[in-house]
Amino acid sequence: MLVGYARVSTQEQDTALQLEAFKAAGVIKVFEEKASGAKFNRPVLWQCLSSLRSGDQFVFYKLDRVARSLSDLLRILEAVEKAGASIRSLT
């Protein structure tokens, strides 16, 4: 299953562009979050990662929507790998 994660940094922004790209890519389930990427403790991101199952694909619009540092990215990739899933960036 394609599982998407859409994030914007502020309440004034929206995820419309990301959601449209997910729809075009055939993403089935989408988790949306409005939180700064500088925070690693993002509840919706971790809910999304916890939902991944073997064979799923973790989809995001752009790498900076998921992680802002290499160390954060490595922790996220570890969670994806542990679930038996893969990743895909749409851009």
Side-chain angles (χ1 to χ4, degrees):
M1 176 179 353
L2 301 179
V3 180
Y5 174 73
R7 184 191 63 79
V8 291
S9 299
T10 68
Q11 295 297 321
E12 293 78 32
Q13 296 172 318
D14 68 44
T15 56
L17 178 67
Q18 296 173 63
L19 297 179
E20 190 168 311
F22 288 160
K23 184 177 180 182
V27 174
I28 304 294
K29 188 174 186 180
V30 176
F31 291 81
E32 292 182 69
E33 187 158 49
K34 292 189 177 193
S36 170
K39 294 180 186 176
F40 188 66
N41 185 16
R42 287 176 270 147
V44 176
L45 171 62
W46 291 103
Q47 180 184 8
C48 176
L49 294 173
S50 294
S51 78
L52 295 174
R53 301 293 174 248
S54 183
D56 286 351
Q57 192 168 65
F58 176 53
V59 183
F60 45 88
Y61 181 71
K62 195 170 160 184
L63 187 58
D64 71 353
R65 298 296 84 206
V66 176
R68 295 280 296 264
S69 71
L70 180 56
S71 61
D72 288 351
L73 178 59
L74 292 173
R75 288 172 59 192
I76 290 165
L77 292 176
E78 183 179 358
V80 172
E81 182 180 31
K82 187 176 181 180
S86 61
I87 66 165
R88 178 178 170 198
S89 175
L90 297 181
T91 59

